[in-house]
Amino acid sequence: MMWIGAVRRWKGARIARSLHHFNAPRLADLVLVRHGESEGNVAREMSIRGDHSLFSGEFKNRHSSNWRLTDRGREQAEAAGEWLRKEDLIYYDRYLVSEYLRAMETAARFNLPDAQWYAEMLLRERDWGQMDLMSEAERSVKMHDELKRRDLDRFYYAPPGGESLATVAQRVDRLMCVLHRELPGKKVLVVCHGEVMWALRTRLERMSQDTFRELQMSGRMVDQLHNGHILHYTRTDPVTGKVAPFFTHMRSVCPWNEKLSPKGWIKINRPVYDNEMMLAIAERVPRMIVSEEYIQQTYRKENSLNPNIESPLNPVVEKPKIELNKVVIVNKMTRYQHEESLYGNSGEALKKQMSMRGFVYDRLKASHDHHIDAIEDITSCLKEHNIEATVFNAHELTHEAYDGADMVFSAGGDGTFLKAASFVNRPIPLAGLNTDSARSEGNLCCYSIDASCNRFVVGLERLLKGDFQWRNRQRIRVGMVNQEGFKYELPRYALNEVFIAESDASRPSFYNIGIDQQQRESHRSSGIIVCTGTGSSAWYYSASQIHREQISSILNAMDFHSYTNETVTEITERLNKDNMFPEDSLDMGYVVREPIINATFGDIRFRKGKARRVSMRSLGWDMKVNLDGLYSVPLNYGVQAVMKICTEPQYVLRTVDFSPHDSRHDKKYRPRS
């Protein structure tokens, strides 16, 4: 009998494989239209503005399903009918309409020839329960607690006796299953309500809750579904004509004012999550119950006086410890050395050559000598403390250079620090030594070496005594995915920022971008900067900042003339300070540089903000991914670059900070060049 079981298993596997390749029947085209402006829409808008007079008398005694169209609503319905005729979307295999009067009146005013409409109960407006027929004033008084509960999550919230939008999505799902089964390859026209159309969008596009909330709350008119609005879903690629087994494109049109709708067709990108993406999404919400110890400290009052439980408000800060036996020194190439190697000259010949190129020879030579003295100070001091030191030139650095080292010292400025950090791919601390504070700010460095007073021995002894703090800096990991789905990871990490753009700066960058799990969009711009908390005070800060002139222009446009220069400066600094965030943050900052916004490319949603995951698919000619201005790789057409923070502890860059603990906040949020 064993062979019978084997045959059954073989048949089951064969059926499963065949089902895997089976394409379920689907509609060819689906056109959704929201009803025109109704009496209820006018009453609600007036109530929001403070006039609640319409919510009285006969209006309160009529069910909301019996609201009629206003004159404006009739015009919107007729405009929708005109647009359908203009787009040759006149004839359908089925016409469906909500049985609410405002939807039926809208459908009739399309004046479509030979249309035979079916009134469908599943398309009725969302049931608002006890909130229905209430003015905004009544809601704020009688439903105060409910409004607070609604603001927790508008998609899943259900008013008392009413429906959540998630419930509406479930009932329209039932209708879509019937339509797909009964009308495969056919066209359907549906006239319904705004909330029903949003519910359909979440199902047809598999829209994430973040995308739904972002679209609803964006404040951009092109993201909304206006009265008389049309959504057209199709399986046919509008460019190639290729027919897919499911809806691949959608266009959103406000026919009575097309400025209120995005331009052209939008490709539907249904989000799919890998393990890392789901963890990144989860990490955006802080945990409330972290551990058993946390429960003891926070919730179990009877144990609050237990002396064995450490108070989270007064944690014991352990003194950092480090044992140094072998270190690596990353030595920068000075400008003087670069010029010397470039032309092979020295002495007077080099001085003449540099002078002809506009350099001040004596200044560069003095800076070079200062750096060489600092290197000698560092190496001799380490030798006196019996610490083995190996010096590597920054331009010759490799990952193997750090093998066996207990710590890495970068000797130079911020550029040398970034170069040294880019080769750290295992848990090894990095300390930056600024060897020329007169020419370099050295914001990433922990110690400045001076020939007279700040000798390296002072910093080294503080290090060995534990008189410092560890400072963890997050870095960006970049993964590449080609058109065949092959994935690989870049061998270096970005400490400051990743910059993606065309290699020719005069050519606009064309790409498709996705922020976290939100719906993707296409941009033309001068590129995009994605930064860490460390990089938020560098290039990202400069690219994101608002200038005093802009604040003055806004105040003037508001006819607010009684302001002073100090007021403008204070507002500017306050707004710009928000661009910076901690270097140990798991967020990344992103800013699109000089986006092109015109009749072809409408306004964009992803202009500037924070994210846990940024992905860019190249649609350009010769785009490059650049890490910290040190390392770049091509981003060919169709290849996708996925950026996210290296959350694994071994990839976090651990650096040294000699500043007092209470002054770190000020240092951390100071913009740097």
Side-chain angles (χ1 to χ4, degrees):
M1 298 297 290
M2 292 179 62
W3 66 271
I4 298 177
V7 170
R8 285 175 176 170
R9 287 193 296 272
W10 175 79
K11 286 184 176 179
R14 185 178 179 184
I15 292 171
R17 285 195 297 270
S18 64
L19 287 175
H20 178 73
H21 297 288
F22 175 70
N23 290 326
R26 291 285 189 274
L27 294 174
D29 286 86
L30 175 65
V31 178
L32 308 174
V33 187
R34 185 186 176 190
H35 63 78
E37 182 186 74
S38 70
E39 296 167 327
N41 294 136
V42 174
R44 180 64 55 201
E45 286 297 322
M46 290 177 61
S47 183
I48 290 173
R49 292 195 295 266
D51 182 357
H52 315 294
S53 58
L54 287 180
F55 284 92
S56 61
E58 184 182 355
F59 190 88
K60 293 277 285 186
N61 295 322
R62 179 183 292 184
H63 191 269
S64 57
S65 63
N66 292 322
W67 286 338
R68 296 288 306 280
L69 294 184
T70 64
D71 290 343
R72 187 166 183 254
R74 293 176 177 180
E75 292 173 0
Q76 291 168 343
E78 291 165 1
E82 285 294 327
W83 186 88
L84 293 174
R85 282 186 286 274
K86 183 183 71 173
E87 296 294 320
D88 196 24
L89 294 170
I90 303 174
Y91 298 102
Y92 298 86
D93 298 285
R94 187 164 298 178
Y95 302 78
L96 296 177
V97 62
S98 162
E99 57 186 5
Y100 280 30
L101 294 185
R102 54 188 180 274
M104 299 182 77
E105 189 174 356
T106 298
R109 290 187 176 276
F110 291 168
N111 198 25
L112 298 179
D114 303 324
Q116 298 293 312
W117 293 91
Y118 291 87
E120 176 55 66
M121 180 182 65
L122 293 176
L123 291 172
R124 68 187 183 276
E125 176 60 298
R126 176 183 180 181
D127 189 347
W128 286 97
Q130 295 179 22
M131 284 190 178
D132 202 16
L133 297 177
M134 273 191 183
S135 68
E136 291 299 308
E138 283 183 283
R139 287 184 178 184
S140 63
V141 174
K142 298 179 180 179
M143 296 285 179
H144 178 71
D145 292 339
E146 285 297 321
L147 294 177
K148 290 171 64 177
R149 195 164 69 88
R150 179 194 64 181
D151 290 339
L152 293 176
D153 194 299
R154 290 175 177 260
F155 187 80
Y156 293 112
Y157 169 75
E163 292 179 297
S164 67
L165 200 57
T167 304
V168 179
Q170 287 178 316
R171 63 171 155 93
V172 296
D173 235 6
R174 291 163 52 196
L175 176 63
M176 289 305 303
C177 288
V178 172
L179 294 177
H180 285 314
R181 184 179 67 249
E182 294 183 355
L183 299 163
K186 305 296 184 180
K187 293 167 59 178
V188 173
L189 175 63
V190 173
V191 181
C192 55
H193 308 268
E195 297 286 87
V196 176
M197 289 172 67
W198 275 114
L200 280 162
R201 284 199 67 178
T202 63
R203 300 302 298 134
L204 295 173
E205 302 171 35
R206 291 201 173 275
M207 185 183 292
S208 70
Q209 298 310 302
D210 277 354
T211 300
F212 169 77
R213 284 190 290 269
E214 198 273 337
L215 289 173
Q216 286 243 314
M217 308 300 291
S218 70
R220 301 194 322 151
M221 299 302 288
V222 295
D223 290 336
Q224 309 310 311
L225 299 179
H226 307 278
N227 289 113
H229 207 97
I230 298 174
L231 297 179
H232 179 193
Y233 290 90
T234 184
R235 289 164 46 191
T236 305
D237 190 309
V239 177
T240 65
K242 183 179 179 181
V243 179
F246 44 81
F247 292 140
T248 57
H249 290 78
M250 181 270 284
R251 54 178 166 172
S252 173
V253 180
C254 181
W256 49 271
N257 185 354
E258 295 199 23
K259 291 182 179 179
L260 300 180
S261 50
K263 302 290 183 181
W265 288 95
I266 300 170
K267 187 174 182 180
I268 300 172
N269 291 293
R270 297 174 176 87
V272 179
Y273 308 104
D274 58 24
N275 295 336
E276 291 185 355
M277 287 177 63
M278 290 190 291
L279 289 175
I281 294 168
E283 287 296 332
R284 294 169 63 182
V285 180
R287 291 193 297 168
M288 292 181 290
I289 300 176
V290 181
S291 64
E292 178 64 24
E293 183 180 5
Y294 180 86
I295 296 174
Q296 293 280 355
Q297 295 166 353
T298 309
Y299 296 105
R300 297 179 182 169
K301 302 298 183 182
E302 64 273 17
N303 293 332
S304 61
L305 299 179
N306 188 338
N308 296 321
I309 298 178
E310 179 186 314
S311 170
L313 299 178
N314 298 293
V316 176
V317 180
E318 292 187 6
K319 206 171 187 180
K321 298 176 183 178
I322 188 167
E323 183 177 342
L324 299 181
N325 296 310
K326 179 182 178 182
V327 300
V328 168
I329 302 169
V330 179
N331 178 29
K332 80 168 184 179
M333 173 182 276
T334 66
R335 186 76 200 197
Y336 178 87
Q337 289 173 317
H338 174 73
E339 295 295 320
E340 192 176 38
S341 63
L342 190 64
Y343 294 101
N345 295 328
S346 60
E348 289 299 320
L350 178 61
K351 184 175 182 179
K352 182 178 179 181
Q353 185 70 45
M354 292 176 67
S355 298
M356 291 174 61
R357 298 186 62 213
F359 291 108
V360 180
Y361 175 84
D362 293 336
R363 185 184 301 168
L364 289 184
K365 184 65 166 63
S367 175
H368 168 75
D369 292 341
H370 188 286
H371 174 73
I372 296 300
D373 290 342
I375 293 294
E376 291 177 356
D377 180 30
I378 296 168
T379 53
S380 61
C381 181
L382 290 169
K383 186 176 181 180
E384 290 173 4
H385 286 76
N386 296 317
I387 299 172
E388 180 185 346
T390 307
V391 180
F392 287 93
N393 293 325
H395 60 283
E396 299 172 346
L397 204 57
T398 63
H399 287 95
E400 291 74 22
Y402 297 161
D403 288 348
D406 301 312
M407 176 172 268
V408 176
F409 292 99
S410 69
D414 284 345
T416 312
F417 185 93
L418 289 171
K419 188 70 174 285
S422 70
F423 285 93
V424 176
N425 58 3
R426 58 188 179 84
I428 179 172
L430 172 63
L433 305 176
N434 188 359
T435 59
D436 189 3
S437 56
R439 290 171 53 85
S440 172
E441 287 191 24
N443 286 290
L444 295 173
C445 299
C446 65
Y447 193 76
S448 294
I449 298 177
D450 186 88
S452 56
C453 53
N454 288 343
R455 308 299 293 180
F456 177 65
V457 65
V458 178
L460 180 60
E461 289 180 353
R462 288 187 62 182
L463 197 64
L464 297 175
K465 291 177 183 177
D467 185 15
F468 67 95
Q469 288 91 35
W470 289 121
R471 197 165 179 178
N472 293 327
R473 298 180 184 272
Q474 299 288 359
R475 296 187 289 174
I476 297 175
R477 179 165 52 190
V478 182
M480 309 288 277
V481 185
N482 65 17
Q483 291 176 299
E484 288 74 39
F486 177 72
K487 301 178 182 179
Y488 58 97
E489 190 176 292
L490 298 188
R492 299 199 205 172
Y493 308 127
L495 178 60
N496 260 1
E497 70 274 314
V498 177
F499 176 58
I500 303 180
E502 285 284 345
S503 56
D504 182 352
S506 65
R507 179 183 291 162
S509 304
F510 186 25
Y511 53 87
N512 182 264
I513 185 172
I515 301 296
D516 291 329
Q517 73 275 27
Q518 300 182 53
Q519 188 171 0
R520 303 177 69 91
E521 64 182 14
S522 296
H523 293 176
R524 280 190 190 272
S525 72
S526 296
I528 183 171
I529 300 170
V530 182
C531 78
T532 63
T534 299
S536 67
S537 59
W539 189 10
Y540 171 84
Y541 178 86
S542 300
S544 303
Q545 67 178 315
I546 297 173
H547 302 285
R548 296 181 75 261
E549 295 78 11
Q550 294 171 302
I551 299 296
S552 297
S553 299
I554 293 171
L555 293 175
N556 286 329
M558 296 173 63
D559 291 329
F560 185 74
H561 300 293
S562 59
Y563 62 86
T564 63
N565 288 331
E566 289 76 14
T567 302
V568 174
T569 300
E570 182 183 353
I571 295 173
T572 304
E573 291 178 351
R574 188 183 306 169
L575 292 173
N576 287 334
K577 190 174 182 180
D578 292 338
N579 292 328
M580 294 181 284
F581 53 99
E583 67 268 7
D584 58 354
S585 172
L586 295 178
D587 288 322
M588 298 180 295
Y590 69 89
V591 59
V592 176
R593 299 182 66 223
E594 301 159 346
I596 295 175
I597 299 173
N598 52 27
T600 303
F601 290 89
D603 198 6
I604 62 176
R605 289 184 292 131
F606 306 138
R607 185 190 297 264
K608 174 178 170 289
K610 290 183 181 178
R612 291 293 175 93
R613 183 180 189 272
V614 178
S615 63
M616 281 185 61
R617 179 177 287 108
S618 171
L619 302 174
W621 294 91
D622 185 25
M623 294 185 70
K624 293 286 180 66
V625 179
N626 193 297
L627 278 64
D628 288 335
L630 301 169
Y631 174 71
S632 66
V633 295
L635 187 65
N636 297 325
Y637 185 94
V639 177
Q640 184 173 202
V642 181
M643 290 153 280
K644 46 194 171 185
I645 291 292
C646 308
T647 54
E648 296 86 346
Q650 64 267 30
Y651 296 124
V652 176
L653 186 67
R654 192 162 59 152
T655 63
V656 173
D657 185 12
F658 284 133
S659 61
H661 188 74
D662 56 357
S663 68
R664 288 181 61 190
H665 180 81
D666 295 333
K667 181 178 180 181
K668 183 163 49 179
Y669 292 106
R670 187 173 66 245
R672 55 192 174 88
S673 58

